[in-house]
Amino acid sequence: MQIEAWELFTVPLVLREPFVAAHSSVTVREVLLVRVLADGVEGWSECGVLPEAGYGHDSVASAAELLRTVALPTLATSGSVESHRVVHLLARLAGHREVVAAAEAAVLDAECRRDGVSMAARLSELSGWASCTGIPAGVALGIAAEPREVAASAATFVEAGYARVKVKIAPGADWEVLRAVRNATDVELCADANGAYAADDLDSLVSFEEFGLGFLEQPFGRSDLATHAALARRTVTPVCLDESVVSAAGLDEAADAGACSVLNLKWSRVGGLHEALRILERCRARGVDAWVGGMLSSGVGRAADVALASLSTVTMTGDISESRRYFDSDLTEPFVLSGGSIAVPDGPGLGVAVDTERIRSQASAHWSHAD
Ligand code: MG
């Protein structure tokens, strides 16, 4: 496709409640959106970065700068662009995976809209795996002052039809909250530490076995496969990696080390949807379960998450919630939970109508090829 025009927006969306994890707290989700116009059709994507760098390599500000000054101008002057070639065209941005992923996803959306196929159908076609029409919903709960608050919240979500509850934990904010949630509901319960523990916490992490967790996610630092492997040898709780795995080769390295039996897959973290498909192939080959994580995304990013999560190689319930879990009003029509599942959009591309008028009127920053 020939990129004829591009735009970049940041839109502040206020979360219904602040979201607190071990090393981050988000109150206003500054959503970074890419719009391309190619061969006469639009393509949209959301860049999976948080306001501050840390979880990812870039912040919203640094990712916007790279998209504006490097990624989008490069694609616009590259002649014919195909989504699977974007990562090569943007090789100089290697390492800035969320930036490359956002550029690639916008081109992929435009390709799907041009061809009249949904993103889910295209990912199914590219991978050879079946795509389902609805996915089970999961919810991630942030760290709160009182364990009982988290437990009450968990019970409410389970009542609404959520199939899985994941609780953010950190040293000193773990055992009590897991106990409270476990007592409040018998739903599948998991925990995510965002790398907040160290090797001398192994004993206490092993003691979480009493909660029958579906998995324990990223207890140690992102480069510390050895300690994850040491934990996996000592506990029956499945160890899940998130931050540590940023490529298909990285998944193989983690599997070789015995560092995980579960993967939280985020297409933004691994540099795009095409790499995400390669990782799913490796997960299947290595016997690693996979599920799709979220980034407090608006409907634009959520639509791509849902399309990826619809594939049969995604073997576990992910972190994908309905839109109102985070926002009173979204930038697309809301994703809703109905009969215990979230429908996979079947319209062309992302399959959601992007509220362009709202984006233009509420953007805190806007750049385009014409600037
Ligand atoms: Mg995580």
Side-chain angles (χ1 to χ4, degrees):
M1 308 193 83
Q2 177 70 51
I3 310 289
E4 295 147 16
W6 57 262
E7 290 179 278
L8 193 57
F9 304 88
T10 56
V11 185
L13 282 185
V14 179
L15 290 176
R16 293 180 67 179
E17 54 189 44
F19 191 82
V20 182
H23 303 299
S24 65
S25 177
V26 179
T27 304
V28 177
R29 182 70 175 101
E30 192 81 19
V31 177
L32 178 58
L33 298 171
V34 176
R35 174 183 178 270
V36 296
L37 188 67
D39 297 359
V41 292
E42 281 187 320
W44 283 91
S45 72
E46 179 168 344
C47 187
V49 284
L50 294 174
E52 309 288 334
Y55 174 85
H57 187 82
D58 282 293
S59 63
V60 168
S62 69
E65 178 72 6
L66 289 171
L67 281 162
R68 181 177 74 81
T69 59
V70 183
L72 297 171
T74 299
L75 296 186
T77 53
S78 290
S80 183
V81 172
E82 294 169 280
S83 61
H84 72 274
R85 295 269 309 146
V86 167
V87 67
H88 304 291
L89 293 170
L90 301 181
R92 61 188 281 214
L93 293 178
H96 298 278
R97 287 176 296 273
E98 293 90 349
V99 171
V100 175
E104 183 202 88
V107 176
L108 183 59
D109 182 37
E111 287 172 345
C112 291
R113 289 178 198 242
R114 175 197 62 193
D115 300 339
V117 299
S118 69
M119 180 82 74
R122 177 53 51 87
L123 295 179
S124 170
E125 192 181 296
L126 287 168
S127 63
W129 303 311
S131 171
C132 63
T133 57
I135 59 163
V139 65
L141 300 176
I143 294 171
E146 293 291 337
R148 66 172 184 274
E149 288 175 48
V150 183
S153 181
T156 305
F157 282 109
V158 172
E159 183 130 333
Y162 281 81
R164 192 196 81 184
V165 170
K166 188 178 92 173
V167 174
K168 293 285 189 181
I169 59 169
D174 46 21
W175 196 92
E176 293 79 5
V177 72
L178 292 170
R179 177 81 273 156
V181 176
R182 184 75 294 165
N183 287 344
T185 166
D186 58 6
V187 75
E188 182 187 354
L189 173 62
C190 305
D192 182 7
N194 290 103
Y197 293 83
D200 54 10
D201 295 314
L202 278 175
D203 288 343
S204 69
L205 294 171
V206 170
S207 77
F208 297 163
E209 281 179 358
E210 69 177 278
F211 305 118
L213 300 180
F215 57 76
L216 175 57
E217 179 177 344
Q218 198 73 45
F220 310 112
R222 65 187 69 202
S223 59
D224 188 0
L225 293 180
T227 309
H228 285 99
L231 176 63
R233 285 192 298 272
R234 281 197 47 194
T235 182
V236 297
T237 304
V239 175
C240 173
L241 290 178
D242 174 357
E243 289 92 331
S244 291
V245 175
V246 298
S247 65
L251 186 277
D252 273 324
E253 195 187 337
D256 287 343
C260 69
S261 55
V262 180
L263 179 72
N264 171 353
L265 179 60
K266 294 174 182 166
W267 58 270
S268 57
R269 187 191 74 227
V270 303
L273 285 149
H274 288 283
E275 186 68 10
L277 296 182
R278 283 188 281 274
I279 290 177
L280 283 175
E281 175 60 46
R282 298 313 303 151
C283 284
R284 197 178 62 151
R286 305 302 300 258
V288 172
D289 279 303
W291 54 273
V292 173
M295 289 297 293
L296 310 175
S297 303
S298 79
V300 178
R302 195 170 305 269
D305 295 345
V306 170
L308 182 62
S310 76
L311 297 175
S312 60
T313 32
V314 173
T315 52
M316 296 178 79
T317 300
D319 272 351
I320 302 174
S321 304
E322 56 184 345
S323 303
R324 70 172 181 181
R325 150 67 181 125
Y326 295 113
F327 309 112
D328 281 324
S329 73
D330 205 337
L331 301 176
T332 64
E333 68 268 38
F335 282 88
V336 295
L337 183 55
S338 173
S341 75
I342 292 176
V344 178
D346 59 4
L350 293 173
V352 287
V354 179
D355 190 346
T356 313
E357 205 171 301
R358 179 175 174 201
I359 290 168
R360 291 194 187 287
S361 66
Q362 295 185 3
S364 52
H366 173 228
W367 303 270
S368 78
H369 62 284
D371 291 339

